[in-house]
Amino acid sequence: MINTYTLPCKIKLVCENVPYVKSVSIGVWVKSGSAYEEIKYHGMSHFIEHMLFKGTSSKSAEDIAVAMDAIGGQMNAFTSRDCTCFYTKTLSSDTDTALDLLSDIIINPSLDEKDIETEKNVVKEEINMYEDAPDDLVLDLLYSECYRGNPLGRPILGTAESVSSFTRDDILKYMKKMYCAENIVVS
């Protein structure tokens, strides 16, 4: 049975207990995808996905990876046109650790200037690789034609120019707008 709750802080919680399963998958879904980006922030949702794994105010990127590896878990994320999802897969006995790591990267990201500059190059290389893959490129071209003039028609990753222009202030403004309780579902 699936249970749905709205917490006092307005975050939505969707749960299903499967008693015979010894693992847990936790996803934090944020209503932050390319469909919601103003042209100035084209690619920002995907860029933030990358940045949140660079460390928090209390943990380095290595600390986060080591903590997840120590419990044999998995932590990853993806960005689409309508959302960004951060998720873990662990043993059910490690639920507290998974929730701690997920909440920390979302609530307390360090967003270090040096990491931002480094990650711009990583994302630009990802854009180049994506543009060299015909099966990926043709889908973006189809979206571009179907949704001409609409944010849905733009590539999720952004462009080299848009990503290069991001500042720490831009990231903070975008996160303040999009990473609010009303835009978050935890499942």
Side-chain angles (χ1 to χ4, degrees), residues 38-69:
E38 299 168 37
I39 195 70
K40 173 182 180 175
Y41 296 122
H42 181 206
M44 181 66 79
S45 300
H46 175 254
F47 191 78
I48 289 170
E49 172 205 323
H50 279 242
M51 288 305 303
L52 295 193
F53 286 93
K54 297 297 175 192
T56 70
S57 56
S58 63
K59 295 177 188 73
S60 68
E62 182 180 3
D63 293 338
I64 294 165
V66 167
M68 190 52 68
D69 286 349

Side-chain angles (χ1 to χ4, degrees), residues 103-160:
S103 61
D104 199 25
I105 67 169
I106 293 167
I107 296 168
N108 304 307
S110 62
L111 302 175
D112 181 83
E113 295 280 359
K114 184 179 167 205
D115 289 336
I116 291 169
E117 292 309 311
T118 300
E119 208 58 30
K120 285 179 183 182
N121 292 323
V122 170
V123 172
K124 286 190 282 188
E125 185 57 36
E126 187 177 355
I127 291 167
N128 290 337
M129 288 174 18
Y130 191 83
E131 290 174 348
D132 285 341
D135 53 332
D136 293 330
L137 186 57
V138 75
L139 188 57
D140 270 352
L141 291 172
L142 176 64
Y143 270 89
S144 176
E145 284 301 310
C146 290
Y147 297 103
R148 192 180 315 219
N150 185 295
L152 285 170
R154 297 193 299 253
I156 294 167
L157 305 181
T159 64

Side-chain angles (χ1 to χ4, degrees), residues 41 44 48 107 109-111 113 116 167-179:
Y41 296 122
M44 181 66 79
I48 289 170
I107 296 168
S110 62
L111 302 175
E113 295 280 359
I116 291 169
T167 66
R168 186 173 195 277
D169 275 350
D170 291 335
I171 295 168
L172 291 169
K173 284 177 189 170
Y174 190 82
M175 286 187 74
K176 183 176 183 179
K177 177 182 174 186
M178 301 307 290
Y179 280 65

